[in-house]
């Protein structure tokens, strides 16, 4: 009996080791975690960018739809939060970890994005492969207001940053805003040059958000695990300004992006900022190269 238990434990440990060594299983359960931000506003985490769920008098508005295959898990989770229908979907920007789940939403859902983001989405295979299901139906250029009173949503665009179509989604009655990947978290942001992102304008764009949007206390970030505050937006603008000043100095000193990159260090005053730089879009040398290209224009 005892030998049987020992053998069982050994087998279980062996099985775990095997599971750990395998790549992620695409058929693994898609677990959506819920954070309640306000009585009628939730953040759904997992499977890509943070999804906001705003429950209004007549329906549910969703902000961002995660990676491919995560649209249905989002809709299933919303059913546990409200019995109202999903009527509107807003995408903060074009990236696959924010828009791919769109194609699983009902065709009746209104899809609203910044106009440059619609043009970027039209280049994506996932919409071509799904007969344009989930494609943007309405766009705005600089500002758009949807609904009123407790249900009001204000959409803003302040200029290029992460892409050329980063929407700021504000819920004025709740003093809360979703900043998407313009402010994904505390660290150097990704800049997608192919979709019009700008290292040169990034600090100005974030500062325009900080100065242009009023009466917000709570920030939902593109990928952070917890919400942030409005002063965090100012600090993030300063952080990007300091990075820009540093990178411009390196280029003016005649360094190549590859020579400059290893010298970057997060200034000590930015507490809680990650020193890790995501490898996407050429990593740190890619960002400095993007800046060099922009400075030549
Ligand atoms: Zn993104």
């Amino acid at each position: 009996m005892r030998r049987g238990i020992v053998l069982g434990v050994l087998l279980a440990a062996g099985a775990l080791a095997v599971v750990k060594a395998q790549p992620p299983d695409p058929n693994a359960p898609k677990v959506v975690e819920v954070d309640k931000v306000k009585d009628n506003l939730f953040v759904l985490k997992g499977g890509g960018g943070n999804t906001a769920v705003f429950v209004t008098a007549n329906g549910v508005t969703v902000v961002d739809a995660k990676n491919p295959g995560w649209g249905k898990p989002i809709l299933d989770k919303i059913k546990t939060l409200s019995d109202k229908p999903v009527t509107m979907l807003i995408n903060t920007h074009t990236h696959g970890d924010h828009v791919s789940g769109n194609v699983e939403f009902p065709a009746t859902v209104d899809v609203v994005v910044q106009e440059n983001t619609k043009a970027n989405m039209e280049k994506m295979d996932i919409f071509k492969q799904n007969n344009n299901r989930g494609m943007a139906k309405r766009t705005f250029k600089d500002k758009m207001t949807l609904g009123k009173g407790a249900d009001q949503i204000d959409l803003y665009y302040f200029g290029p940053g992460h892409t050329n179509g980063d929407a700021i989604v504000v819920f004025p009655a709740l003093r809360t805003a979703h900043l998407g990947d313009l402010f994904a978290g505390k660290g150097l942001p990704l800049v997608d040059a192919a979709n019009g992102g700008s290292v040169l304008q990034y600090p100005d764009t974030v500062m325009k958000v900080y100065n242009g949007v009023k009466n917000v206390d709570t920030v939902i970030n593109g990928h952070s695990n917890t919400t942030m505050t409005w002063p965090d937006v100012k600090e993030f603008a300063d952080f990007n300004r300091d990075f820009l000043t540093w990178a411009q100095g390196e280029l003016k000193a005649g360094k190549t992006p590859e020579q400059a990159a290893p010298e970057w260090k997060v200034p000590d005053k930015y507490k809680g900022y990650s020193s890790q730089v995501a490898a996407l879009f050429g990593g740190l040398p890619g960002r400095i190269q993007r800046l060099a290209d922009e400075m030549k224009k």
Side-chain angles (χ1 to χ4, degrees):
M1 180 72 182
R2 184 168 292 164
R3 189 190 295 166
I5 291 168
V6 171
L7 187 62
V9 169
L10 285 173
L11 281 173
L16 271 178
V18 168
V19 168
K20 261 189 166 176
Q22 284 172 344
D25 177 1
N27 297 316
K30 295 184 170 65
V31 180
V32 175
E33 264 186 82
V34 182
D35 279 352
K36 184 173 180 173
V37 180
K38 307 277 175 177
D39 282 342
N40 61 331
L41 180 66
F42 305 86
V43 176
L44 307 190
K45 299 187 295 188
N50 285 329
T51 295
V53 174
F54 182 47
V55 181
T56 73
N58 298 316
V60 176
T61 293
V62 177
V63 182
D64 282 354
K66 305 189 187 293
N67 281 318
W70 284 77
K72 183 156 190 310
I74 290 171
L75 293 168
D76 288 346
K77 187 57 80 173
I78 289 171
K79 285 189 193 132
T80 70
L81 303 171
S82 171
D83 47 24
K84 291 172 183 168
V86 173
T87 50
M88 194 185 296
L89 174 58
I90 298 163
N91 295 116
T92 58
H93 65 293
T94 192
H95 285 152
D97 56 335
H98 298 259
V99 304
S100 297
N102 281 28
V103 302
E104 297 160 53
F105 278 60
T108 52
V109 169
D110 195 12
V111 183
V112 185
V113 304
Q114 203 275 345
E115 61 182 22
N116 298 328
T117 287
K118 184 179 186 192
N120 295 333
M121 286 166 75
E122 282 168 348
K123 296 181 281 183
M124 295 177 76
D125 287 341
I126 188 153
F127 295 108
K128 292 176 190 161
Q129 290 158 357
N130 285 276
N131 298 318
N132 262 350
R133 175 91 166 250
M135 176 51 67
K137 294 179 183 174
R138 279 201 282 169
T139 63
F140 73 100
K141 187 177 168 67
D142 298 314
K143 187 170 180 206
M144 182 183 213
T145 292
L146 303 160
K148 56 181 196 294
D151 294 344
Q152 184 171 327
I153 298 172
D154 293 326
L155 304 177
Y156 298 86
Y157 173 71
F158 289 103
H162 179 67
T163 69
N164 61 1
D166 304 322
I168 306 302
V169 184
V170 182
F171 310 100
L174 304 180
R175 301 179 67 90
T176 301
H178 193 324
L179 266 56
D181 282 0
L182 184 66
F183 188 10
K186 291 187 178 180
L188 262 192
L190 288 170
V191 174
D192 180 357
N195 282 307
S198 172
V199 175
L200 188 60
Q201 294 182 68
Y202 215 110
D204 286 344
T205 300
V206 178
M207 205 58 203
K208 283 177 193 166
V209 175
Y210 180 73
N211 288 322
V213 178
K214 304 290 178 201
N215 304 315
V216 170
D217 311 310
T218 305
V219 172
I220 298 167
N221 306 81
H223 289 268
S224 170
N225 208 27
T226 56
T227 56
M228 293 188 192
T229 65
W230 202 242
D232 288 327
V233 179
K234 170 69 165 64
E235 183 189 48
F236 184 64
D238 292 344
F239 172 80
N240 279 284
R241 171 81 52 208
D242 284 352
F243 173 74
L244 175 63
T245 303
W246 170 83
Q248 283 176 318
E250 296 288 291
L251 290 170
K252 278 178 192 146
K255 288 182 195 166
T256 65
E258 288 71 23
Q259 288 168 333
E263 293 170 24
W264 162 250
K265 193 172 155 292
V266 174
D268 289 339
K269 65 176 167 176
Y270 298 106
K271 303 292 176 218
Y273 269 70
S274 173
S275 58
Q276 301 280 308
V277 180
L280 226 57
F281 309 124
L284 190 42
R287 283 178 183 71
I288 301 169
Q289 185 58 55
R290 172 63 174 163
L291 175 61
D293 295 342
E294 289 187 275
M295 285 165 67
K296 275 184 215 138
K297 281 180 194 161

